[in-house]
Amino acid sequence: MSVTDCLFCSIASGEIPADVVHESERLIAFRDISPQAPLHVLIVPKQHIASLDAARAPHQSLLGDMVLLAADLARTESIAGHGYRTVINTGVDGGQAVSHLHLHLLGGRQMEWPPG
Ligand code: 5GP
Ligand code: ZN
């Protein structure tokens, strides 16, 4: 898949609309179209990185920003006190459906373990 065919690149560029909760130079965060919890936000780098498996050392600070943004959004969305889950699905066995790196922030209900 080329970057121009990528759903999350299209959302990052504004070509496809989304319910955006945060945007910065390097990241965009928007509500999942099919939420699996009362709060379900996707934290996405604007740069096309296909998956965590494609991430390398130069992406280190970007990955750190993604995780810290998840924690910030959990606080601003008022779920931090009760707790939340952050997930990166990678590849086929990981259940990754969209081939553009993203971090799921899920909260507002009790999570289960092990995940499905
Ligand atoms: P994955 O399974 O790749 O980890 O997660 C992809 C996520 O993207 C899914 O939770 C799915 O509901 C969400 N998603 C798929 N298409 C769209 C869309 O067009 N807009 C938004 N906001 N979320 C989407
Ligand atoms: Zn992309």
Side-chain angles (χ1 to χ4, degrees), residues 47-69:
Q47 175 186 1
H48 183 84
I49 302 167
S51 74
L52 187 58
D53 187 51
R56 294 291 181 270
H59 301 123
Q60 183 174 357
S61 78
L62 185 65
L63 290 164
D65 284 355
M66 290 171 68
V67 176
L68 289 173
L69 179 57

Side-chain angles (χ1 to χ4, degrees), residues 7-87:
L7 174 63
F8 287 175
C9 282
S10 298
I11 289 176
S13 70
E15 191 186 325
I16 291 178
D19 186 354
V20 175
V21 297
H22 176 91
E23 186 165 6
S24 64
E25 190 184 332
R26 297 204 296 179
L27 297 179
I28 188 165
F30 50 87
R31 296 188 196 281
D32 197 292
I33 204 166
S34 177
Q36 302 302 307
L39 179 81
H40 188 173
V41 168
L42 302 173
I43 295 160
V44 178
K46 290 183 174 177
Q47 175 186 1
H48 183 84
I49 302 167
S51 74
L52 187 58
D53 187 51
R56 294 291 181 270
H59 301 123
Q60 183 174 357
S61 78
L62 185 65
L63 290 164
D65 284 355
M66 290 171 68
V67 176
L68 289 173
L69 179 57
D72 283 347
L73 290 174
R75 283 187 288 270
T76 56
E77 296 279 342
S78 304
I79 60 165
H82 281 270
Y84 53 88
R85 183 165 293 174
T86 47
V87 176

Side-chain angles (χ1 to χ4, degrees), residues 3 6 8-9 48 99-100:
V3 174
C6 173
F8 287 175
C9 282
H48 183 84
S99 296
H100 179 132

